Amino acid sequence: MGVISDWNPIYYQWDQVQLPYYIPDTEAARRDVAAQYTTISRLDQGVGLVLNELKNSGHLNNTLIIYSSDNGIPFPNGRTNFYDSGIGEPMIISSPVHKERKHQITNSLASLLDIVPTLLDWYGIYNYKNMNSNDIKGSRQVLMGKSLLPLLIKGLTS
C-alpha cells in the first residue's frame, strides 16, 4: 500500500463486514472483502482528490468526468459471468452541464463501449459514423456503443 499524503485510510475489520449472499462465510472470504472495501475507500478518496485538483485549477465546471472499471468484483460469481455481481461495474459520470439528475443512480445497463460515443456527443461530434477508420482496408468505422449523456437528463436511454 503506497503512501499518499492526502489519503486517510479506512481499514475495515474482517470480522465485522457483512458479506453479500453469494460469498461463502469464511475467514478468508471476510478478509478479502474487508481488503476490497479498503481499496474502494482509497479509490473514493482518490476521486475526491482529483475533483479537488480540478476545482483548484478552475476546470471543475467545464470538465466531463467519467470513471469506470473493466470488470466487477473479484469474488465468486463476479467478473466473467452474467450474474448481477459479474456485470456490476463501477461507473461515475459527472457533467457540469447536466444538472437534472445530479447525485442520482440509474439501473440502465452501460458498457465501456459507450465511452467513445459519450465523448463524441459531449464534444458535439455527431458525424462520426462517416469518419474513415485507420484499418488497412479503409472501411468505415462502426462504433458499438451509444452516448450515455441522455442518462444524465432522463435516466433511460432510447
Side-chain angles (χ1 to χ4, degrees):
M1 307 220 9
V3 176
I4 300 173
S5 60
D6 295 355
W7 179 50
N8 298 311
I10 299 172
Y11 295 104
Y12 292 83
Q13 301 303 313
W14 67 268
D15 55 347
Q16 296 176 0
V17 298
Q18 288 187 323
L19 295 175
Y21 69 91
Y22 50 85
I23 296 178
D25 192 354
T26 65
E27 181 179 335
R30 286 179 167 278
R31 288 184 182 278
D32 284 346
V33 169
Q36 180 76 4
Y37 289 171
T38 298
T39 299
I40 292 168
S41 173
R42 182 176 182 170
L43 169 74
D44 185 49
Q45 290 181 32
V47 169
L49 292 172
V50 170
L51 293 176
N52 195 43
E53 288 300 316
L54 284 169
K55 181 179 177 184
N56 291 341
S57 67
H59 293 289
L60 185 60
N61 292 322
N62 64 4
T63 302
L64 177 68
I65 299 164
I66 300 175
Y67 168 81
S68 188
S69 175
D70 63 346
N71 55 48
I73 61 171
F75 296 113
N77 295 326
R79 291 199 175 166
T80 59
N81 68 60
F82 287 115
Y83 295 109
D84 286 346
S85 57
I87 62 172
E89 299 175 5
M91 180 174 276
I92 299 169
I93 301 178
S94 177
S95 166
V97 176
H98 304 89
K99 303 286 188 189
E100 296 86 349
R101 299 192 67 238
K102 189 173 183 176
H103 301 295
Q104 293 183 19
I105 63 168
T106 181
N107 291 320
S108 299
L109 292 178
S111 166
L112 294 179
L113 296 172
D114 299 323
I115 300 297
V116 171
T118 301
L119 292 173
L120 292 172
D121 189 10
W122 172 256
Y123 285 107
I125 302 171
Y126 304 109
N127 198 20
Y128 62 86
K129 292 183 180 179
N130 294 326
M131 295 169 56
N132 288 328
S133 69
N134 293 326
D135 68 17
I136 296 172
K137 297 176 185 173
S139 64
R140 301 286 181 191
Q141 185 166 350
V142 177
L143 297 177
M144 299 303 294
K146 61 183 176 179
S147 175
L148 299 173
L149 292 184
L151 291 174
L152 303 179
I153 299 167
K154 58 185 172 192
L156 299 172
T157 58
S158 57

